[in-house]
């Protein structure tokens, strides 16, 4: 299958999912029409107390088949909890809605830690650092480039969340470090579906590795960006979009879009895991769900 057909299949799957959720693709994309109302709602939302994160040792999991709008597995799907760096999917969406130019030069922000030396980078390099290595400095730099600056960018993230119907999702920063960045597994599944519209997010987030060359005098020093989800990306070539996250309050999280052959039919599915105890539990939970589908599992997989 060529890339054009693959993208059409993804779009078809996403449209089926939104139809199943009683939301049309058009409704999702009318940002300009609704912007005035959303700005007012966002201002009112600042005085609204958001749900507190509920401490728990139990993961939130959702595994959705987009073609059929079917939840294959669901566990604590509506529990509000820390979002961690899965936040960066929304950061990428809002940034790309504003500007798709990947050649623009930006100076790395010092507002958050970064594995990159402080210097100028192209927007494309910063997107690679943010979506592959989950670099916080890169995310802050991209947010600061928004018209009106970082604060307006965060408002735009929350406006976009409202437009996408993410009722239990809220953002306080573009990185996911802030404990006020919260969501549910169900909302994250819809966030993944929204992010899948952007080829830049799909292409960059699924690279196992990328290299940025840093000029030093007459030489170039390579900075290697290894994907935070490298284990799953290496094992499964069916992953079309990927983002991990971790903070102590949120635990280990991951959200992926996959393309699976199920009984001679091509299916696009979203898997979200939030609140795993460690990387191994996060990876093993996703593997179980993926192999369950690959080898013809029927109905809900009740194993954790």
């Amino acid at each position: 299958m060529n890339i054009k057909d693959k993208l059409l299949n993804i779009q078809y799957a996403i449209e089926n999912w939104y139809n199943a959720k009683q939301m049309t693709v058009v409704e999702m994309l009318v940002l300009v029409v609704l912007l005035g109302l959303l700005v007012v709602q966002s201002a009112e939302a600042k005085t609204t107390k958001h749900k507190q994160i509920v401490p728990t040792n139990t993961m939130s999991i959702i595994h959705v088949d987009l073609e059929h709008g079917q939840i294959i597995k669901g566990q604590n799907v509506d529990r509000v909890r820390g979002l961690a760096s899965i936040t960066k999917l929304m950061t990428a969406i809002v940034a790309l809605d504003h500007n798709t130019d990947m050649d623009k030069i930006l100076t790395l922000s010092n507002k958050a830690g970064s594995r990159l030396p402080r210097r100028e980078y192209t927007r494309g390099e910063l997107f690679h650092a943010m979506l592959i290595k989950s670099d916080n400095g890169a995310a802050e730099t991209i947010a600061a480039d928004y018209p009106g600056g970082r604060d307006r960018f965060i408002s735009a993230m929350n406006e976009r969340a409202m437009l996408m119907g993410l009722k239990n999702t809220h953002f306080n920063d573009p990185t996911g470090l802030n404990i006020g960045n919260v969501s549910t597994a169900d909302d994250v599944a819809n966030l993944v579906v929204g992010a899948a519209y952007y080829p830049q997010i799909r292409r960059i987030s699924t690279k196992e590795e990328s290299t940025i060359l840093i000029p030093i005098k007459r030489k170039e020093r390579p900075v290697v960006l290894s994907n935070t989800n490298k284990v799953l990306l290496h094992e499964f070539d069916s992953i079309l979009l990927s983002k991990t996250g971790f903070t102590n309050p949120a635990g280990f999280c991951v959200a992926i879009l996959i393309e699976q052959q199920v009984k001679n039919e091509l299916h696009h599915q979203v898997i979200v895991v939030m609140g795993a105890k460690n990387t191994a539990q996060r990876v093993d939970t996703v593997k179980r769900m993926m192999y369950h589908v690959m080898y013809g599992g029927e109905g809900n997989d009740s194993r954790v």
Side-chain angles (χ1 to χ4, degrees):
M1 178 183 296
N2 62 39
I3 188 64
K4 182 178 179 181
D5 289 338
K6 179 172 286 193
L7 295 182
L8 287 173
N9 279 336
I10 295 170
Q11 182 177 354
Y12 175 71
I14 291 170
E15 287 172 353
N16 280 345
W17 174 240
Y18 275 102
N19 287 336
K21 301 280 285 188
Q22 296 184 332
M23 177 186 291
T24 68
V25 177
V26 173
E27 287 173 329
M28 179 183 171
L29 297 177
V30 291
L31 181 59
V32 175
V33 177
L34 296 179
L35 185 56
L37 288 174
L38 289 172
V39 170
V40 174
Q41 291 171 342
S42 179
E44 293 173 349
K46 289 181 180 179
T47 62
T48 302
K49 192 171 183 179
H50 290 272
K51 294 182 181 179
Q52 297 296 310
I53 301 173
V54 180
T56 176
N57 292 324
T58 306
M59 292 181 288
S60 292
I61 299 169
I62 193 166
H63 182 184
V64 179
D65 186 299
L66 301 184
E67 265 75 15
H68 297 139
Q70 174 194 7
I71 296 179
I72 299 170
K73 178 177 178 63
Q75 174 179 300
N76 301 316
V77 298
D78 293 322
R79 177 169 288 168
V80 176
R81 58 199 315 159
L83 188 58
S85 284
I86 292 177
T87 293
K88 294 182 175 83
L89 289 179
M90 183 62 85
T91 302
I93 288 171
V94 172
L96 289 169
D97 283 344
H98 161 56
N99 186 359
T100 59
D101 181 9
M102 291 296 188
D103 295 323
K104 184 177 180 180
I105 303 296
L106 301 174
T107 300
L108 184 68
S109 169
N110 59 4
K111 192 169 183 63
S114 177
R115 287 177 167 79
L116 300 175
R118 183 166 164 75
R119 59 178 287 275
E120 291 183 336
Y121 297 90
T122 66
R123 230 165 148 256
E125 289 171 331
L126 293 169
F127 265 79
H128 277 72
M130 178 177 73
L131 294 175
I132 295 175
K133 194 64 178 176
S134 204
D135 191 273
N136 295 316
E140 287 286 2
T141 306
I142 290 167
D145 182 52
Y146 195 77
R150 181 181 188 269
D151 289 346
R152 184 67 195 94
F153 185 89
I154 295 169
S155 295
M157 292 174 72
N158 287 305
E159 289 161 10
R160 195 69 157 88
M162 293 170 65
L163 184 64
M164 294 169 70
L166 311 183
K167 297 179 181 178
N168 294 304
T169 299
H170 184 75
F171 301 101
N172 282 346
D173 80 355
T175 66
L177 291 175
N178 192 295
I179 61 171
N181 286 28
V182 296
S183 190
T184 64
D186 184 59
D187 274 8
V188 172
N190 283 284
L191 175 59
V192 169
V193 170
Y197 275 103
Y198 300 80
Q200 302 94 328
I201 299 177
R202 295 196 308 269
R203 177 176 56 83
I204 296 172
S205 70
T206 51
K207 290 184 178 182
E208 288 187 40
E209 193 174 277
S210 184
T211 300
I212 297 176
L213 297 176
I214 309 296
I216 299 178
K217 296 182 179 179
R218 296 183 180 180
K219 297 182 180 180
E220 289 183 327
R221 178 169 71 87
V223 174
V224 179
L225 307 170
S226 293
N227 201 301
T228 54
N229 200 21
K230 193 171 184 177
V231 173
L232 289 175
L233 289 170
H234 183 73
E235 184 161 346
F236 301 101
D237 60 5
S238 56
I239 299 176
L240 303 180
L241 184 150
S242 166
K243 190 69 197 77
T244 64
F246 168 76
T247 61
N248 286 324
F252 291 79
C253 309
V254 66
I256 59 174
L257 170 67
I258 62 175
E259 184 177 73
Q260 294 275 38
Q261 197 77 24
V262 182
K263 295 182 178 179
N264 298 321
E265 291 183 358
L266 196 62
H267 286 241
H268 294 88
Q269 301 177 349
V270 175
I271 293 176
V272 177
V273 175
M274 303 175 75
K277 294 179 181 179
N278 49 49
T279 302
Q281 186 183 42
R282 177 177 71 189
V283 169
D284 290 345
T285 302
V286 173
K287 281 185 178 181
R288 260 197 304 273
M289 286 186 280
M290 291 189 72
Y291 281 121
H292 178 72
V293 172
M294 287 168 64
Y295 295 112
E298 295 284 352
N300 289 350
D301 180 5
S302 60
R303 295 172 296 172
V304 176

